């Protein structure tokens, strides 16, 4: 088993909560802010650094991953929006199947394109069931993926989808309302998924403060992913890390 999946499963077993700081590669164009975010993530003992986005508008993806890796003593994990978002500088890639959607390219198509490169790079692939949940407004991921998010108030659909993902052999479930969402996944939905699967549960989208982080952890999330809040203010990493780890 790879190091990142091992980290997730061990934390899940031991009841330790993890914080992942998400770096949008376009945001990485601002070198000073990127450096500060990664340095703060390390100082605050964030557990993982994710790099990726549903749409890239700059050509600096590989350079961004390289810079994050140079500065970070944390595992660097790709969270790719497309097969072009692979880099030899990362430690692992979330091998995402968008199981809440019915877009065949995002269920299995892109994976076929990406698999030989992942193998050639010798990179750990973490089999991940990605579930997009309505977060109050359309996000880049819902637009780009052309998929319908799971309704915010339907925890039963999320639980059934996650359970199907676990029967298919996926090793972790990522519930996301998308970057900059107005609402996070509800604690009720996280709790419903928690009762149906033993897998590590990753939750992201719209997490802006320590209180939201605590509620999601108490509901059963194992890993919280935060991007936008730290783009706005990299100093928030410290309070958020305390909330997740405390
Ligand atoms: C998006 O889960 C991530 O895919 C993080 O979302 O940018 O809203 O923190 P935010």
């Amino acid at each position: 088993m790879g190091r990142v999946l091992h980290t997730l499963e061990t934390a899940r077993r031991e009841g330790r909560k993890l914080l992942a700081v998400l770096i949008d590669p376009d945001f990485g164009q601002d070198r000073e802010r990127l450096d500060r975010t990664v340095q703060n993530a390390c100082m605050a003992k964030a557990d993982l650094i994710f790099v990726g986005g549903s749409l890239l508008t700059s050509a600096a993806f590989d350079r961004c991953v390289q810079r994050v890796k140079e500065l970070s003593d944390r595992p660097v994990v790709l969270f790719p929006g497309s097969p072009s978002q692979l880099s030899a500088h990362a430690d692992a890639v979330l091998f995402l199947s968008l199981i809440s959607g019915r877009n065949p390219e995002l269920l299995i198509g892109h994976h076929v394109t990406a698999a030989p490169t992942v193998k050639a790079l010798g990179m750990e692939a973490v089999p991940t069931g990605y579930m997009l949940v309505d977060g109050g407004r359309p996000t880049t991921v819902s637009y780009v993926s052309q998929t319908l998010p799971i309704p915010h108030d339907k925890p039963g659909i999320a639980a059934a989808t996650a359970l199907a993902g676990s029967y298919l052999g996926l090793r972790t479930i990522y519930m996301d309302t998308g970057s900059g969402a107005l609402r996070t996944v509800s604690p009720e939905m996280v709790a419903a998924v928690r009762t149906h699967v033993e897998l590590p549960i990753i939750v992201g989208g719209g997490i802006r403060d320590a209180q939201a982080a605590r509620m999601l952890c108490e509901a059963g999330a194992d890993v919280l992913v935060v991007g936008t809040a730290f783009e706005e203010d990299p100093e928030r990493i410290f309070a958020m890390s305390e909330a997740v780890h405390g």
Side-chain angles (χ1 to χ4, degrees):
M1 186 193 302
R3 173 178 168 213
V4 170
L5 183 57
H6 179 73
T7 301
L8 300 183
E9 292 191 347
T10 308
R12 157 99 195 100
R13 245 194 336 272
E14 296 174 352
R16 276 186 298 107
K17 308 297 180 178
L18 306 179
L19 175 66
V21 174
L22 174 64
I23 307 279
D24 178 335
D26 284 337
F27 165 77
Q29 298 277 87
D30 180 345
R31 180 58 83 92
E32 214 175 289
R33 250 179 127 66
L34 172 72
D35 289 6
R36 209 161 90 241
T37 305
V38 177
Q39 282 156 354
N40 283 2
C42 297
M43 275 192 292
K45 303 247 178 296
D47 302 277
L48 302 156
I49 300 189
F50 287 0
V51 186
S54 359
L55 181 70
L56 293 192
T57 55
S58 73
F61 176 75
D62 197 61
R63 254 203 332 274
C64 174
V65 181
Q66 182 175 15
R67 183 68 183 155
V68 172
K69 185 66 194 166
E70 274 165 16
L71 292 173
S72 172
D73 57 1
R74 320 269 105 190
V76 177
V77 181
L78 302 177
F79 172 42
S82 75
S84 63
Q85 292 181 36
L86 291 171
S87 165
H89 303 293
D91 298 296
V93 55
L94 294 182
F95 210 69
L96 303 162
S97 183
L98 205 165
I99 57 175
S100 61
R102 300 296 177 265
N103 178 341
E105 282 304 305
L106 302 178
L107 277 163
I108 181 66
H110 287 178
H111 315 69
V112 175
T113 314
T117 308
V118 172
K119 186 173 167 59
L121 294 174
M123 182 183 288
E124 175 187 357
V126 181
T128 303
Y130 182 79
M131 309 204 312
L132 186 59
V133 178
D134 180 42
R137 69 167 174 215
T139 54
T140 309
V141 58
S142 62
Y143 180 80
V144 170
S145 69
Q146 294 285 294
T147 66
L148 200 60
I150 295 175
H152 196 262
D153 60 349
K154 299 288 182 196
I157 298 179
T161 307
L163 185 60
S166 77
Y167 288 158
L168 284 167
L170 296 170
R171 302 295 291 273
T172 177
I173 296 292
Y174 190 150
M175 307 168 75
D176 195 1
T177 52
S179 204
L182 296 178
R183 290 189 289 187
T184 68
V185 175
S186 72
E188 294 73 23
M189 188 178 275
V190 174
V193 170
R194 178 75 292 155
T195 59
H196 282 71
V197 298
E198 280 304 314
L199 305 175
I201 297 175
I202 305 170
V203 177
I207 303 172
R208 296 183 166 271
D209 54 47
Q211 197 196 347
R214 270 191 221 103
M215 282 171 67
L216 291 165
C217 287
E218 280 165 19
D222 300 295
V223 184
L224 296 190
V225 186
V226 181
T228 305
F230 300 156
E231 282 179 19
E232 290 167 0
D233 178 8
E235 305 309 316
R236 272 196 234 171
I237 296 178
F238 295 96
M240 196 70 90
S241 177
E242 216 174 282
V244 172
H245 296 129

